[in-house]
Amino acid sequence: MRPQRTLTARGGLMMFFGLVALVCGFAIGQREIVGAGLLLLLVPAIAALTILGAADRVSHSRDLRPQRIPAGTDTQVLIRITNTSPTWPVGWIRLEDTLPVRLGHEPRYTMGYLGPGSAHDIVYLVRPAVRGRYPVGPLRVSVLDSLGCVRVTRTLGTPTPLLVTPRLVPLPELGRADGSQGEDAPRRSVTGTGESDPIPRAYRHGDDLRRVHWRSTAKHGELMVRRDEQYRREYGTLLLDTRVGAHSGEGPHSSLETAVSVAASVALHLLEHGHELRFHTERGRLANDTPSGVLDGLAVMEPSEAPGLMAGINGLEGAHGTSSDLVVAVLGALTPQDAAALARVGGSVPRVAVLCSHAAWPDAQASHRVGDLLSANGWRVLPVTDPTELPALWHRALTPAGDHATSAGIRAPWESPR
């Protein structure tokens, strides 16, 4: 962008009083007053000449460390200001970095004198409270003359993107009906063979040479490798309700941000424990199947205008038909029709419904009625107001002891013991 030259308040006052003195001097015939007026008028013009091209000699570089952070954590913004001229200094510099409102106030710095070929580093912290993709920059540089009469302003560079992913909470390891957990759970199901019976196959381009089976290679006269061990894949299905009408509040404590944080925590928990993830919203299935892909997708996910949750519920039913090992629904306020449809999603696998208690429920008892309906149909209902409440509820719902609950599912936390 081309530099913009403006008068400061001091320069403007000089021009004003110089003009007044000039007029008054001519009116009363006083040469001294006329001379003083001309001097006041010439000072800003001469000051502008002293900083001619100064803004063009200023360059900058910017770095974010890191450029991808969870919500509620800090990132460093590092800016280096350099005078590219080996001969001419830059007299007086003021800096202002451009930040979105959600990242806080725009930082301002006064650097003062910057010698020929010299550089100056500036570091400040940014702590985003809400997920999203934010532009950091561009940088506005103002150069003033030594008398402070004229300001030359220039915008440098382009914004640097900062990706803020949802806040995560660690969840306890999934329990299993057979009493085993995580790495100790038996997963091999196809070959039933070990090192003594490797069932080799012909070598293919790209195979790891460490898997070469030399005895079979000598027998067949060609390079043979051990087959990959076959594992039974475990599938987890996740539904996230992002309808704008189902959530309430704004900022980091809104029910939508709570739901996204809970869904992100559950998704990463399943992926880190070897589950194949099927991630659905009311808009359909998400293609992300890696931890970084899930977090990046949720970071920029906007609420939808969909009136109902049926598209997402139909996705759960389709996933159930392909043998999911766990079904989790993270929900805002449900209509009676959506709650009834979700309750009919059956099966013997664990089904967990996380209800955002501070969502846009029509009345105080609506979430209780939905929770009772889902619990009566085998769902394990977890009411959550803040993501930090999830780990304890998750552990209680999915421990092996929870698999021996009655056919009506475990009792909802708001129910009294029978």
Side-chain angles (χ1 to χ4, degrees):
M1 181 180 292
R2 297 180 61 182
Q4 297 179 349
R5 293 172 175 83
T6 58
L7 288 173
T8 64
R10 181 181 299 176
L13 288 174
M14 282 189 177
M15 295 288 288
F16 173 76
F17 287 116
L19 184 61
V20 170
L22 189 64
V23 173
C24 292
F26 276 117
I28 63 177
Q30 293 291 328
R31 294 181 178 180
E32 292 81 1
I33 298 178
V34 172
L38 287 175
L39 178 62
L40 290 175
L41 289 174
L42 287 175
V43 166
I46 297 173
L49 292 176
T50 64
I51 57 173
L52 190 65
D56 295 328
R57 298 195 294 269
V58 178
S59 66
H60 92 298
S61 61
R62 181 199 309 277
D63 188 20
L64 303 182
R65 300 181 183 176
Q67 292 188 347
R68 180 178 178 273
I69 58 172
T73 59
D74 293 331
T75 186
Q76 280 189 337
V77 182
L78 296 90
I79 300 175
R80 168 161 290 189
I81 303 297
T82 306
N83 181 0
T84 59
S85 173
T87 306
W88 298 99
V90 180
W92 192 263
I93 301 177
R94 291 180 180 174
L95 306 174
E96 183 178 356
D97 211 7
T98 306
L99 293 180
V101 175
R102 286 187 171 180
L103 294 188
H105 298 290
E106 295 182 339
R108 296 178 175 87
Y109 300 94
T110 300
M111 287 181 49
Y113 179 84
L114 188 63
S118 61
H120 185 80
D121 293 332
I122 294 174
V123 181
Y124 66 91
L125 297 178
V126 171
R127 176 177 291 184
V130 181
R131 63 189 173 86
R133 190 186 301 275
Y134 299 99
V136 179
L139 184 70
R140 291 191 293 270
V141 177
S142 298
V143 179
L144 283 80
D145 65 281
S146 56
L147 296 178
C149 296
V150 180
R151 177 187 295 110
V152 180
T153 303
R154 183 186 176 199
T155 301
L156 298 181
T158 58
T160 302
L162 172 64
L163 185 65
V164 182
T165 59
R167 185 161 58 109
L168 300 176
V169 293
L171 300 181
E173 193 171 357
L174 291 173
R176 300 178 61 92
D178 58 5
S180 59
Q181 293 186 352
E183 297 293 337
D184 299 329
R187 298 180 65 187
R188 186 186 302 177
S189 64
V190 177
T191 62
T193 58
E195 187 68 25
S196 61
D197 185 18
I199 312 182
R201 60 167 174 81
Y203 175 83
R204 298 172 187 166
H205 179 71
D207 285 338
D208 190 347
L209 291 178
R210 290 175 297 182
R211 292 173 45 223
V212 172
H213 191 256
W214 298 107
R215 184 182 302 173
S216 298
T217 298
K219 179 179 179 181
H220 291 87
E222 61 176 327
L223 204 58
M224 306 291 290
V225 297
R226 300 180 181 89
R227 291 181 183 271
D228 293 327
E229 288 186 329
Q230 303 295 317
Y231 292 94
R232 183 184 74 84
R233 291 184 176 180
E234 295 180 341
Y235 291 92
T237 304
L238 178 61
L239 170 63
L240 172 61
D241 182 3
T242 63
R243 296 171 297 146
V244 65
H247 293 280
S248 64
E250 295 181 357
H253 302 295
S254 67
S255 63
L256 177 61
E257 295 305 315
T258 297
V260 172
S261 178
V262 167
S265 302
V266 172
L268 260 66
H269 182 72
L270 295 178
L271 290 171
E272 289 173 354
H273 287 81
H275 283 66
E276 294 283 339
L277 180 65
R278 301 186 185 98
F279 201 148
H280 298 265
T281 70
E282 69 281 354
R283 288 170 282 198
R285 182 174 177 180
L286 303 182
N288 298 321
D289 56 359
T290 62
S292 60
V294 169
L295 288 179
D296 292 353
L298 290 177
V300 296
M301 180 173 289
E302 297 292 336
S304 74
E305 300 292 337
L309 198 58
M310 287 308 302
I313 295 174
N314 292 336
L316 288 184
E317 293 177 339
H320 170 66
T322 52
S323 301
S324 289
D325 296 278
L326 178 66
V327 175
V328 181
V330 184
L331 308 166
L334 295 184
T335 64
Q337 296 79 9
D338 289 338
L342 185 63
R344 290 194 295 268
V345 177
S348 58
V349 299
R351 288 162 293 148
V352 179
V354 181
L355 298 183
C356 294
S357 303
H358 57 309
W361 298 100
D363 56 72
Q365 298 300 318
S367 61
H368 292 186
R369 292 193 295 269
V370 170
D372 291 340
L373 175 63
L374 295 177
S375 181
N377 284 273
W379 286 80
R380 303 169 186 192
V381 180
L382 311 181
V384 171
T385 304
D386 187 87
T388 56
E389 302 170 358
L390 181 64
L393 297 174
W394 182 267
H395 175 64
R396 186 174 68 177
L398 292 177
T399 52
D403 293 322
H404 302 293
T406 63
S407 59
I410 67 171
R411 187 172 66 251
W414 55 73
E415 293 179 352
S416 59
R418 295 187 180 93

